[in-house]
Amino acid sequence: MPKFSIKAKWIIVGVLLPVTVIAVYLFFFSGKYVSSGMNSNQIFSILSAGIAFTGIAAGFVEEMVFRGVILNLLKEKWNIKVAVLIPSVLFGLVHIIGMDFSIISSLLVLIAGTMVGIMFSMVAIESGSVWNSGIVHSLWNILIIGGGLSISEKADEYSVMTYVLDSKDFVFTGGEFGIESSIIALLGYVIVTLAAICMIKKKAKV
């Protein structure tokens, strides 16, 4: 178990990243809101599961495995570049395995999954603890796929509300995987990654 160390800036980033991605879609992409018609008990069940399992459990477990165990083992055996890249590519592949995606959607998921994996790695390295990448990962899951508001090409029966996009362009919709593999999300991953790298380089000069 890695040392418990949480930095406020990564909690802020963890909230701002998904909120910004959502805001871009709601303000700059036309669409319509579609309610799933859930009753209060169903809403409570969906949201609590989204927070506890999709968000916290999945987010932290994946970070402990990919950025905790695998990254550190590879860093000891090879170097930090290999240690960041390999688990990031594996992270992308894991989200394709068992899914009946088209070639284009699979490629989008692999690219986005690898990039977000690199982002989580940079957060963990900069902060010195996988707990911070776990927070960023969990908050992303809760706000983007936690069952509250879904943004997609079609209504999501497992979300309380869906913002159904008029656009069918896979670059913006993310294809079959959804907006997590869209160019909008990808830009967010890149920006946070570059910010973390700048912080790491700044520390190295001190």
Side-chain angles (χ1 to χ4, degrees):
M1 182 67 71
K3 66 177 181 179
F4 183 78
S5 175
I6 295 176
K7 295 188 175 182
K9 63 183 176 183
W10 291 120
I11 297 176
I12 295 171
V13 169
V15 173
L16 285 180
L17 176 58
V19 166
T20 301
V21 170
I22 291 170
V24 167
Y25 279 101
L26 298 185
F27 287 106
F28 297 103
F29 288 81
S30 61
K32 61 180 179 180
Y33 291 96
V34 177
S35 173
S36 63
M38 295 181 185
N39 59 41
S40 58
N41 289 332
Q42 290 172 317
I43 291 174
F44 176 78
S45 179
I46 285 289
L47 295 182
S48 59
I51 293 171
F53 300 109
T54 305
I56 298 172
F60 277 99
V61 169
E62 288 179 356
E63 288 310 300
M64 297 298 176
V65 173
F66 287 96
R67 261 60 67 178
V69 177
I70 300 177
L71 187 150
N72 283 296
L73 287 174
L74 292 176
K75 185 172 68 173
E76 292 176 6
K77 189 172 181 62
W78 283 293
N79 57 61
I80 191 63
K81 291 181 180 179
V82 172
V84 168
L85 185 59
I86 290 180
S88 296
V89 173
L90 288 175
F91 186 71
L93 287 172
V94 163
H95 289 79
I96 298 173
I97 296 172
M99 305 299 287
D100 188 24
F101 289 154
S102 65
I103 294 175
I104 292 177
S105 288
S106 295
L107 184 60
L108 284 174
V109 175
L110 181 59
I111 293 171
T114 299
M115 192 62 240
V116 77
I118 293 173
M119 181 190 79
F120 290 141
S121 297
M122 291 301 103
V123 172
I125 292 168
E126 190 284 330
S127 64
S129 174
V130 75
W131 285 100
N132 291 282
S133 59
I135 286 173
V136 175
H137 194 156
S138 295
L139 288 170
W140 173 270
N141 283 3
I142 290 169
L143 293 171
I144 297 294
I145 57 173
L149 174 65
S150 174
I151 299 174
S152 181
E153 292 181 69
K154 57 184 179 181
D156 180 5
E157 63 179 307
Y158 299 106
S159 292
V160 177
M161 185 76 69
T162 303
Y163 185 67
V164 180
L165 298 168
D166 290 335
S167 173
K168 303 304 176 186
D169 189 334
F170 69 87
V171 173
F172 298 114
T173 65
E176 295 164 274
F177 193 72
I179 64 168
E180 289 183 280
S181 58
S182 70
I183 188 67
I184 307 300
L186 189 62
L187 285 173
Y189 306 151
V190 171
I191 291 170
V192 174
T193 298
L194 292 176
I197 290 173
C198 287
M199 293 177 199
I200 292 169
K201 288 184 176 181
K202 187 176 180 180
K203 280 184 180 180
K205 291 180 181 179
V206 177

